[in-house]
Amino acid sequence: MSAGTRVGIVLVSHSAAVAVAVAELARGLAGGGDLAPVLPAGGTPDGGLGTSSELIRSAAEAADRGAGVAILVDLGSAVLTVKALLAEGDELPGNSRLVDAPFVEGAVAALVTASAGGDLDAVAAAASEAYAYRKD
């Protein structure tokens, strides 16, 4: 499967630097090569902390290749922003989904699964399963 038909991933953080860093980490840990699109959508358009509907919408459109877009978020108000965009019905690409997953581990799992050709359900499940990763 080519990257053109893979699920896209958007990482929404209150910080542009965090969103970019998590996207870079996920790309690095996914092994490089022909990866699914993963785009950061962090901070506000003026570089401040917060979330931006405009940045999220733009990242989702850029990540969309027709197989769906998995959207992972860092904190509570980012959830509200994404839910509001999804509720509008035409603000995000069709088949966009807010995924309940840990931000860093979920991003890595989502990218690995999407890059292997997993559909949106598989990508969301892999990201969500990252809640079970034990660190002890």
Side-chain angles (χ1 to χ4, degrees):
M1 178 178 282
S2 73
T5 58
R6 293 189 179 137
V7 172
I9 300 161
V10 174
L11 304 176
V12 180
S13 173
H14 284 70
S15 164
V18 168
V20 168
V22 172
E24 289 175 2
L25 178 66
R27 284 187 203 103
L29 294 177
D34 188 22
L35 298 176
V38 56
L39 286 115
T44 61
D46 64 359
L49 294 176
T51 56
S52 162
S53 296
E54 175 185 328
L55 294 176
I56 296 166
R57 186 179 316 108
S58 177
E61 289 172 3
D64 182 30
R65 302 292 189 275
V69 178
I71 304 171
L72 285 76
V73 301
D74 65 353
L75 299 170
S77 63
V79 172
L80 298 175
T81 303
V82 172
K83 282 185 174 183
L85 288 167
L86 289 168
E88 290 296 320
D90 62 351
E91 292 293 315
L92 296 173
N95 212 16
S96 292
R97 183 182 304 174
L98 174 62
V99 177
D100 183 15
F103 194 61
V104 175
E105 296 92 334
V108 174
L111 183 57
V112 168
T113 303
S115 297
D119 65 11
L120 185 57
D121 288 336
V123 170
S128 294
E129 287 169 8
Y131 274 126
Y133 295 173
R134 300 287 311 182
K135 297 177 185 174
D136 60 353

